Amino acid sequence: MPTVSRCDCTQIDLTETIKITYDPSTSAFEGNIVDINVDFNACKGINNRNNDLWAYIARLYYEGEITNEQFGEAGRIITDDGCDEATNFHLNEQGLTRGYAHDEDVWTFIAGRDELKYHDGYGNKAFTRAMTTDSSSAPNGIMHRVCPNCVSTHQHIYYRRLTEISDDFDLLDNILYHGDNGGGNNVWGVDFSIHSTYEDALAGSNPWQCPEDSYNYGSSFPGDCSPSGTQVKGQGSRFSTGNAQRDVAFYVNKPEHAHLQVIPTTAIKGLSHAGGVAVLDDETNTIYMTGIGSDIWHYRDDFNYYTQAAAGDHTVIVNISSQSHTQFKQWSKSGIMFRAGLEPDSPHVSIYLTGGEGSECSCIYK
């Protein structure tokens, strides 16, 4: 039986009339059914919840008629507030995970959460490059949001950029983590429109409408808007809140294997916060790298590391063209590191560009 939020329950009440005849010559009794009456009534469950299969099964459990295991199985199948857990249970039983197979000749994965997070998301520079230079709809680009658990009209949404993305504005960070218009850099109807299909987004046709012509930035993308303009709540996908839709992914209309390529990095987890991604531009040999972590300090280094094995004397030249932060941190770091190993307490010598005012250069060793 598939997982359902509710299931009706019909109880059969049967009344039989039996006529018993005694034959004195044989001293035998004979019984015959002469009437059958069948009534179909709502099952009687706990707490006066009738016509509800889960409540009926609960009543049987409390009366000792079924086992804990049987009651638990019923709870995994019939659930009014745990569909996600029940669905994941059955997927895990079959060795399956959620996912979305995008057309790699058209789209590039740039960010995702939960089951649709295939790697850490692009940073500002790589994302802007993908949207404005490599996109099939350059110079402004189109983004595709996939949300399998959203209502049907919101499972596939296309963000069409109408204006140039400013160099000092992090559009991806604004969409993923904030409930505002990016200081006027991401205004509905001015900087972007929303569409239901890729073809509409390319042509600029059938843009979505918003209730009373007002986009709700506080609820995050897509602002409670819809194809008809009817308010549709609860479809936002802000990554920084647990109340938003889960299992969400974003794609840019750039072929997955064109120019920008994700390359392996190592998350050195002294405190289990480290993560990030590196993206190589094979045209310019530029690496766009993101990183999170607690710090590179003492015996618990926690950071994202793009590494190449080496032995003996080496000369390394790296041009750090820019460093940006979604949140300003004075001791955020990017630079060159020679490291004895990949353990959090490995000795190293490093030269960093830090996040201090005006950007400062520091040499650190351990």
Side-chain angles (χ1 to χ4, degrees):
M1 179 178 176
T3 301
V4 295
S5 57
R6 190 185 185 283
C7 186
D8 290 348
C9 175
T10 301
Q11 178 176 310
I12 298 175
D13 294 321
L14 177 67
T15 303
E16 295 180 338
T17 302
I18 301 175
K19 182 179 179 180
I20 300 175
T21 304
Y22 175 70
D23 185 349
S25 63
T26 62
S27 299
F29 290 89
E30 181 180 359
N32 296 288
I33 298 175
V34 296
D35 184 65
I36 298 176
N37 182 53
V38 179
D39 283 334
F40 295 92
N41 300 309
C43 292
K44 296 179 180 179
I46 60 171
N47 301 326
N48 296 316
R49 288 173 57 182
N50 298 334
N51 194 34
D52 184 329
L53 181 58
W54 182 89
Y56 175 70
I57 293 174
R59 194 197 90 191
L60 295 180
Y61 170 72
Y62 289 119
E63 291 177 352
E65 300 294 332
I66 62 173
T67 65
N68 290 343
E69 290 75 16
Q70 291 171 317
F71 189 33
E73 179 67 17
R76 284 190 291 270
I77 295 174
I78 310 167
T79 173
D80 60 358
D81 60 359
C83 283
D84 288 343
E85 290 79 2
T87 301
N88 289 333
F89 175 84
H90 290 294
L91 288 173
N92 291 336
E93 265 195 330
Q94 300 176 58
L96 302 175
T97 58
R98 296 176 187 269
Y100 175 72
H102 65 285
D103 185 347
E104 295 187 359
D105 292 331
V106 180
W107 300 101
T108 291
F109 173 82
I110 55 168
R113 66 175 295 177
D114 305 304
E115 296 294 342
L116 268 63
K117 181 180 180 181
Y118 303 118
H119 57 69
D120 285 327
Y122 274 35
N124 179 33
K125 300 294 184 181
F127 166 75
T128 302
R129 166 66 192 260
M131 278 283 281
T132 61
T133 304
D134 296 328
S135 168
S136 304
S137 55
N140 299 323
I142 292 171
M143 250 193 315
H144 177 199
R145 190 197 78 168
V146 175
C147 178
N149 298 320
C150 287
V151 298
S152 59
T153 54
H154 290 60
Q155 290 179 359
H156 294 273
I157 298 177
Y158 298 85
Y159 170 106
R160 180 176 187 253
R161 186 70 186 181
L162 303 176
T163 59
E164 183 180 353
I165 302 172
S166 172
D167 289 339
D168 59 357
F169 174 57
D170 192 336
L171 173 59
L172 185 61
D173 179 70
N174 178 253
I175 291 175
L176 298 185
Y177 296 102
H178 299 279
D180 55 51
N181 66 11
N185 288 290
N186 195 35
V187 177
W188 172 71
V190 176
D191 298 302
F192 72 94
S193 57
I194 306 173
H195 304 265
S196 296
T197 68
Y198 181 42
E199 292 72 22
D200 280 351
L202 282 171
S205 304
N206 304 312
W208 282 21
Q209 303 300 314
C210 299
E212 300 181 358
D213 204 32
S214 178
Y215 184 97
N216 184 1
Y217 294 96
S219 71
S220 72
F221 183 77
D224 294 346
C225 304
S226 68
S228 65
T230 303
Q231 185 181 49
V232 182
K233 293 185 176 181
Q235 307 305 303
S237 50
R238 191 186 310 170
F239 284 16
S240 54
T241 174
N243 297 325
Q245 287 287 337
R246 310 187 74 84
D247 301 327
V248 173
F250 286 83
Y251 302 84
V252 164
N253 67 329
K254 175 193 82 69
E256 187 81 61
H257 302 294
H259 306 316
L260 298 177
Q261 302 293 310
V262 173
I263 55 178
T265 60
T266 300
I268 295 181
K269 295 188 175 184
L271 292 173
S272 299
H273 301 309
V277 68
V279 180
L280 172 65
D281 184 339
D282 60 13
E283 283 190 332
T284 64
N285 207 32
T286 300
I287 295 176
Y288 301 97
M289 189 166 176
T290 67
I292 57 174
S294 60
D295 203 352
I296 301 173
W297 191 252
H298 205 48
Y299 299 109
R300 291 186 176 182
D301 293 345
D302 197 73
F303 68 105
N304 191 29
Y305 192 31
Y306 173 57
T307 177
Q308 295 180 353
D313 296 333
H314 283 269
T315 299
V316 176
I317 299 175
V318 175
N319 175 29
I320 303 174
S321 59
S322 65
Q323 177 176 289
S324 60
H325 327 80
T326 55
Q327 294 182 351
F328 174 78
K329 299 291 184 182
Q330 182 174 358
W331 282 106
S332 59
K333 305 174 181 73
S334 59
I336 304 170
M337 172 183 287
F338 285 91
R339 191 174 185 89
L342 299 179
E343 295 75 23
D345 60 349
S346 293
H348 70 87
V349 59
S350 309
I351 299 177
Y352 304 124
L353 185 68
T354 70
E357 293 185 11
S359 297
E360 302 170 348
C361 187
S362 298
C363 180
I364 299 175
Y365 62 90
K366 174 171 65 178

